[in-house]
Amino acid sequence: MKSSDVKIDPSWKEHLSAEFEKPYFKELAAFVKQEYAKEPVYPAPAHIFRAFDLCPFDKVKVVILGQDPYHGPGQANGLCFAVNEGIALPPSLQNIFKEIENDLCESRTFTKRDGDLSRWAKQGVLLLNATLTVRARIAGSHQGKGWEEFTDAAIKALSSEREHLVFMLWGNYAKAKGAHIDRTKHLVLEAPHPSPFSAASGFFGCKHFSKANEYLAAHGETPIDWL
């Protein structure tokens, strides 16, 4: 696969162009193409790079890291933790909304309960899964094929070439991926994963959303409207 063949936002293509020429990415592209040809795979091909397309490189303010897309029909939309509008909210996303409500809603009602989350992405929140595709009904089925190396490269580029970003790392998988972040230049917020199995052990009450906005404001950036 040539760099020109990859359909991704131009700002990201500029910063990640070297990845598209590497053997691992060529093998990954061939694997993903084969998977889409023979199996139901999520998200839709046009949404594989949606997180990047909605949040150009120079517009990123906050990075939220997920693991891989939801594997149920109609769920995955290319943004981590998000689902298509009209789809029932998964438990982790329900818990994210609960934490936002507890963190930010002293004087304002939280009414935006749809799970699409593109409203966050358009404000500068990169909703990045470590693995960008998954076979239907088989969680983690596209892990270890090269996506992790590609998304590591995206994190490294943000860490080295930008300043004063906020990285939200929820759960051990995301925390491990955070090894690529320069913590002298960026704010790294860590908490347990928002899944029902771990949210009560420290995700609830982490106040990451208000902390992120305070940091952004302190560095001259417009805070994110999470509500």
Side-chain angles (χ1 to χ4, degrees), residues 17-32:
S17 58
E19 299 303 308
F20 303 134
E21 308 301 333
K22 293 180 179 179
Y24 88 85
F25 194 88
K26 296 177 187 292
E27 293 173 9
L28 169 64
F31 166 77
V32 170

Side-chain angles (χ1 to χ4, degrees), residues 53-79:
D53 294 336
L54 291 180
C55 192
F57 185 87
D58 58 345
K59 302 295 185 184
V60 176
K61 297 178 181 179
V62 178
V63 181
I64 298 178
L65 290 178
Q67 192 160 349
D68 61 353
Y70 294 118
H71 54 84
Q75 289 184 304
N77 69 3
L79 306 178

Side-chain angles (χ1 to χ4, degrees), residues 37-165:
K38 67 180 184 180
E39 303 281 354
V41 173
Y42 304 126
H47 284 171
I48 291 174
F49 296 110
R50 188 169 180 239
F52 299 97
D53 294 336
L54 291 180
C55 192
F57 185 87
D58 58 345
K59 302 295 185 184
V60 176
K61 297 178 181 179
V62 178
V63 181
I64 298 178
L65 290 178
Q67 192 160 349
D68 61 353
Y70 294 118
H71 54 84
Q75 289 184 304
N77 69 3
L79 306 178
C80 74
F81 292 105
V83 290
N84 286 308
E85 190 171 355
I87 298 295
L89 301 182
S92 290
L93 185 54
Q94 291 182 39
N95 286 339
I96 290 169
F97 285 168
K98 287 178 184 177
E99 175 58 22
I100 290 173
E101 194 161 40
N102 291 333
D103 188 9
L104 300 176
C105 289
E106 290 183 8
S107 60
R108 187 172 165 197
T109 303
F110 185 16
T111 58
K112 298 177 181 176
R113 287 290 187 174
D114 73 89
D116 176 67
L117 304 188
S118 61
R119 62 185 182 277
W120 294 357
K122 292 172 184 177
Q123 295 179 73
V125 181
L126 181 66
L127 293 158
L128 182 63
N129 275 316
T131 303
L132 300 187
T133 55
V134 68
R135 188 183 291 188
R137 297 177 295 280
I138 307 176
S141 49
H142 286 186
Q143 291 177 8
K145 303 297 184 181
W147 279 129
E148 295 91 343
E149 187 170 347
F150 177 75
T151 51
D152 279 351
I155 294 169
K156 291 174 185 176
L158 287 170
S159 178
S160 64
E161 299 176 43
R162 296 287 312 279
E163 290 186 335
H164 308 313
L165 303 183

